[in-house]
Amino acid sequence: MKEDYLWDKTGSDSEIEKLESTLKTYRLKDTSPPIIPVVEFETEIATPAKSNWLMRPAFAAFGCLVIAAVSLILLNNLREPEQAIAAAEDTNPIESKIESKNPAPVKIVSSKEEILHTQEKPLKITKASFSTQLKKRRQLARKQQLRAQKISYKKVMKSRAKPKLTKSKKNVVRLTKEEKEAYDQLLKALAITGSQMKIVREGIKGERVNSAEKDGR
Amino acid sequence: MKLFIKHTFKIFLLTAFLLTAINAAKAQTARLQFENLKYLEDRARDVVEVNIDGKILKLAKRVLVKVKDKDAKIVGEAIKDLEGIYVRVYRFENANEFSSNDVESIRSQLQTPGWEKLANVRSKKNNQKIDVYTMFEGDVMSGVAVLISEDRSVALVNVIGPIDIELLTELGGKLNIPNIDIEVSEGKNENDKE
């Protein structure tokens, strides 16, 4: 086989020429690349679902209700000490005088001289004293609240605590299972021994009585 | 050959010495052997068997110390040096279900050196036989054996170590000790009727 024919087709090679003739049909034809037809597909763009126009205000209303409820609860908690203060104020003789239907008006005065000069007999109440009294009452109310909480806490703890063993008059001894069994066995043995010795004693006494009777005869 | 004879003779002497020592030790202990009473156990209607020694006795003594009771303390003092209590009680349905030979094995043990007869009571009523033996090591009591046989019952009590028996008889019933009295045979009433 000549390599030149394979390289640049110079010369001749019978074998290669035969192969070329047989494989002629499969020879590459230089043509333009095939054109792929363009197919257009219809696509559907997902659009958001239309929202119910009622849901938004409903959610908003629900949120407002929740907020209102929480605020009410907080206000109630805050009002409790104020009510306690109001109750304390009610019991205070000074307040009772203020709230009573006393025709004498109560003037909040700033100095003692004004009090003395007025024809009516107002109570000696000043702004500062009133605020300090309010503070004191609020402190008292808080203390009472804390005491009540402590008492309730103590009650809860007591209820959770284990019941105390009441001391009985009898001596209660804690024994292990082995100790109890050994103790029971010992008591049993001692009881039987004691009873047997009683029989021996009675037997000996009987013998003595018999011998005494014999001597007496 | 001579060496062999020497060694065998030495071995024989050693074994003889050991056996005598063991026998001597057995003879000196106050513990009775109850193995021969199995024949009674098979035929008895009621059997009471109590063995207290070693660890059980130590535990029981510890409990007596724990219990805050006067009687318990007294009993604790009484059994302070106790080493063991062994009780066997056999009760039979009918009279004469056992023979005196059955009990002789125990009596023979009480005849060995060391045991001293303390009391011996015989009564024709219910064919009652009472034997009380004690063993002393010097001035200290090392054991007590009580054997009571009647028509329908056999009772054996073996106490090892010093014990105040009088105190026990007095405290029977106290300290939650039930009054376990051996039933007097019903033949008493029959005999009285006769």
Side-chain angles (χ1 to χ4, degrees):
Chain A
M1 193 168 82
K2 291 180 182 177
E3 292 180 359
D4 292 337
Y5 183 79
L6 278 172
W7 182 251
D8 52 5
K9 276 202 174 179
T10 54
S12 66
D13 192 347
S14 61
E15 289 179 7
I16 293 166
E17 283 170 1
K18 275 184 187 176
L19 283 169
E20 279 180 349
S21 63
T22 52
L23 298 171
K24 212 185 245 185
T25 55
Y26 300 107
R27 197 173 183 173
L28 177 68
K29 293 174 184 177
D30 291 326
T31 55
S32 59
I35 298 165
I36 298 166
V38 176
V39 179
E40 289 181 358
F41 295 98
E42 290 181 0
T43 57
E44 291 180 2
I45 297 164
T47 57
K50 290 180 184 179
S51 58
N52 196 357
W53 62 275
L54 285 171
M55 291 301 286
R56 286 184 186 176
F59 277 120
F62 180 73
C64 290
L65 281 170
V66 167
I67 290 161
V70 169
S71 60
L72 279 169
I73 290 162
L74 288 169
L75 279 169
N76 279 328
N77 287 333
L78 287 169
R79 272 179 197 171
E80 282 177 1
E82 288 177 2
Q83 284 174 0
I85 292 161
E89 286 173 1
D90 288 336
T91 56
N92 199 327
I94 295 167
E95 287 181 359
S96 64
K97 283 183 184 176
I98 293 165
E99 289 179 4
S100 66
K101 293 177 182 179
N102 193 352
V106 176
K107 288 183 183 179
I108 297 169
V109 296
S110 58
S111 62
K112 287 183 184 177
E113 290 173 358
E114 287 182 28
I115 293 163
L116 292 169
H117 287 300
T118 52
Q119 291 178 358
E120 295 154 357
K121 293 179 182 178
L123 298 166
K124 292 182 181 180
I125 296 169
T126 59
K127 277 187 184 175
S129 64
F130 187 72
S131 62
T132 52
Q133 283 172 7
L134 265 177
K135 278 183 187 175
K136 283 180 186 175
R137 283 166 206 159
R138 279 179 187 168
Q139 283 171 0
L140 272 170
R142 277 179 194 166
K143 280 181 186 175
Q144 285 171 2
Q145 200 178 14
L146 283 169
R147 276 178 205 165
Q149 283 176 0
K150 276 184 188 175
I151 290 163
S152 62
Y153 179 74
K154 277 182 186 175
K155 281 182 184 174
V156 167
M157 292 309 288
K158 274 184 185 177
S159 64
R160 284 183 190 173
K162 289 178 184 177
K164 288 182 185 176
L165 295 168
T166 55
K167 289 183 183 177
S168 60
K169 287 183 181 177
K170 293 182 184 177
N171 290 319
V172 178
V173 180
R174 288 185 185 176
L175 303 173
T176 61
K177 194 180 175 183
E178 288 177 351
E179 282 178 345
K180 193 179 180 307
E181 284 176 6
Y183 184 61
D184 291 339
Q185 288 286 325
L186 178 69
L187 290 183
K188 200 188 280 185
L190 291 174
I192 295 170
T193 308
S195 65
Q196 293 300 304
M197 295 315 298
K198 274 185 183 175
I199 293 168
V200 170
R201 191 197 279 180
E202 284 167 10
I204 291 167
K205 275 184 184 176
E207 284 294 315
R208 282 181 189 170
V209 166
N210 288 332
S211 63
E213 284 175 357
K214 280 179 185 175
D215 292 336
R217 285 178 188 171
Chain B
M1 189 66 180
K2 286 182 183 178
L3 284 170
F4 178 75
I5 292 164
K6 260 189 185 178
H7 283 299
T8 50
F9 188 66
K10 279 181 185 176
I11 291 162
F12 176 74
L13 283 172
L14 268 170
T15 50
F17 176 74
L18 282 168
L19 282 168
T20 50
I22 289 163
N23 286 327
K26 275 187 179 175
Q28 287 174 2
T29 57
R31 173 83 188 269
L32 297 174
Q33 304 300 322
F34 296 123
E35 284 83 9
N36 296 327
L37 297 176
K38 282 183 183 175
Y39 186 59
L40 289 175
E41 190 178 325
D42 295 334
R43 286 184 290 173
R45 185 192 71 188
D46 303 319
V47 177
V48 175
E49 183 176 331
V50 182
N51 298 318
I52 299 193
D53 56 3
K55 189 184 170 187
I56 295 170
L57 187 61
K58 281 180 188 173
L59 283 171
K61 283 180 184 176
R62 203 191 304 169
V63 171
L64 282 169
V65 171
K66 275 186 189 178
V67 173
K68 292 179 185 177
D69 189 18
K70 284 181 186 176
D71 292 336
K73 289 192 177 176
I74 293 166
V75 171
E77 270 301 309
I79 64 167
K80 188 173 59 173
D81 298 321
L82 196 69
E83 292 173 19
I85 300 179
Y86 305 93
V87 177
R88 298 285 187 279
V89 179
Y90 305 97
R91 210 179 297 172
F92 300 89
E93 186 72 40
N94 302 312
N96 300 322
E97 277 196 28
F98 67 98
S99 64
S100 58
N101 293 329
D102 296 330
V103 190
E104 276 308 311
S105 63
I106 300 294
R107 287 209 171 88
S108 61
Q109 290 182 48
L110 294 170
Q111 300 299 326
T112 55
W115 287 106
E116 296 173 12
K117 190 182 276 186
L118 184 67
N120 182 7
V121 179
R122 296 287 182 268
S123 173
K124 287 184 180 177
K125 279 187 180 179
N126 305 318
N127 199 14
Q128 190 184 58
K129 292 179 187 175
I130 299 172
D131 295 299
V132 182
Y133 288 81
T134 55
M135 183 182 276
F136 282 87
E137 285 179 3
D139 294 330
V140 178
M141 187 170 71
S142 61
V144 175
V146 178
L147 173 58
I148 300 173
S149 63
E150 292 180 348
D151 283 340
R152 293 185 185 183
S153 66
V154 175
L156 289 154
V157 176
N158 182 209
V159 177
I160 299 167
I163 189 167
D164 192 345
I165 295 165
E166 284 294 323
L167 187 68
L168 276 181
T169 52
E170 285 171 13
L171 282 176
K174 295 182 185 179
L175 195 69
N176 296 325
I177 298 174
N179 273 323
I180 300 174
D181 291 327
I182 300 298
E183 181 188 3
V184 178
S185 58
E186 292 169 0
K188 205 183 204 179
N189 293 326
E190 291 171 1
N191 291 333
D192 289 339
K193 282 179 186 175
E194 286 178 358

